[in-house]
Amino acid sequence: MTPRPISSRNEQRPASQGPVNRYMRPGTRWAWDITLPPQPYVSSLEWDDLLSEADTVIMNIHQPGLDTGAPGSPPIDGANQIGRTINLKNGTPGYPYRKGQWISFPVLGQLFAYKVRTAITVGSDGKVALPLLTLLRLPPANNAVVDVAQPRAEGFATIDPQSLEVGTDRLVRLRFTLEERE
C-alpha cells in the first residue's frame, strides 16, 4: 500500500526571474497504490467489487512496524474546525502521536484520512491539538470518533486492467489504486 498525495495547491511561477510561491488550499486528498499477493483465479473473484464504477471501497491503512498502542477512541473536540489542526478530547493521557502517523474520521458519512504533521503527546486532560500534514477538506462534526488504532481509507478503486490477467502459473496479481473522493 503506497500512499501519495493528490495536491490541490496553487503554485505561481513568474514569467521571468522571481520566487515561486505555493499556496495551500483545502482539497489535497490521498491515493494508495495497492498490489495484492498472487492468488488463484477463484480467490481473486472475491475482489470483483473493485470493478464497480459507482461504489466506494473502504480499506484499513497499513502502517508497517508502527505500534499504535492504546490511543483510545478520541472524538473531535468542537464543530466547524478548519485549517491544519484538529482538536481532540477524551484521548489516552500521555499517548504519543508520531509524525507521519495516519488517522481517519467521518465527515457527512464519508471517511477522510490525514497524516500527523509533527509528533505530539496527549495532555493529562485527554486533549490534544493534533497538527495535520494537509488542510482539513471539510469541517468534521463535534464528537465524531477518530480512528487512531486502525485508520481507514475510503474512495473509488481503479483497477489496473493488466492485473486481471491469469498468468501461466494460474495466479492473478491484482493491482489497483484507491483514491479518496474529495
Side-chain angles (χ1 to χ4, degrees):
M1 191 171 211
T2 306
R4 58 187 164 84
I6 298 176
S7 180
S8 67
R9 74 175 178 243
N10 182 6
E11 188 169 281
Q12 292 183 331
R13 293 185 172 272
S16 59
Q17 295 179 1
V20 173
N21 292 309
R22 284 187 176 175
Y23 301 99
M24 292 183 68
R25 297 185 327 184
T28 295
R29 59 191 188 280
W30 293 92
W32 292 265
D33 297 317
I34 299 164
T35 302
L36 299 178
Q39 54 193 296
Y41 172 75
V42 173
S43 298
S44 74
L45 294 176
E46 290 296 320
W47 292 90
D48 267 8
D49 292 342
L50 295 176
L51 299 171
S52 171
E53 295 185 7
D55 295 334
T56 60
V57 174
I58 297 175
M59 291 190 72
N60 291 339
I61 299 174
H62 297 289
Q63 302 184 88
L66 177 64
D67 180 4
T68 56
S73 298
I76 303 288
D77 186 12
N80 299 319
Q81 296 185 48
I82 59 172
R84 287 176 65 184
T85 302
I86 189 80
N87 295 306
L88 307 179
K89 61 186 175 184
N90 301 334
T92 301
Y95 178 78
Y97 284 92
R98 292 163 182 83
K99 178 181 180 177
Q101 180 176 348
W102 288 99
I103 63 166
S104 62
F105 50 84
V107 179
L108 301 173
Q110 176 184 335
L111 284 172
F112 287 77
Y114 293 92
K115 285 182 85 81
V116 175
R117 186 173 74 237
T118 55
I120 192 167
T121 302
V122 176
S124 60
D125 59 356
K127 293 186 175 193
V128 65
L130 196 60
L132 303 176
L133 188 62
T134 56
L135 289 166
L136 289 166
R137 288 165 268 166
L138 290 174
N142 186 39
N143 294 321
V145 176
V146 177
D147 297 319
V148 179
Q150 184 50 76
R152 298 171 295 155
E154 178 181 5
F156 293 111
T158 303
I159 198 156
D160 177 352
Q162 291 180 337
S163 75
L164 297 171
E165 177 182 330
V166 180
T168 55
D169 57 3
R170 298 185 180 186
L171 296 177
V172 177
R173 292 163 175 81
L174 289 173
R175 291 181 306 278
F176 62 97
T177 298
L178 176 65
E179 182 178 331
E180 288 185 299
R181 292 189 285 172
E182 62 177 304

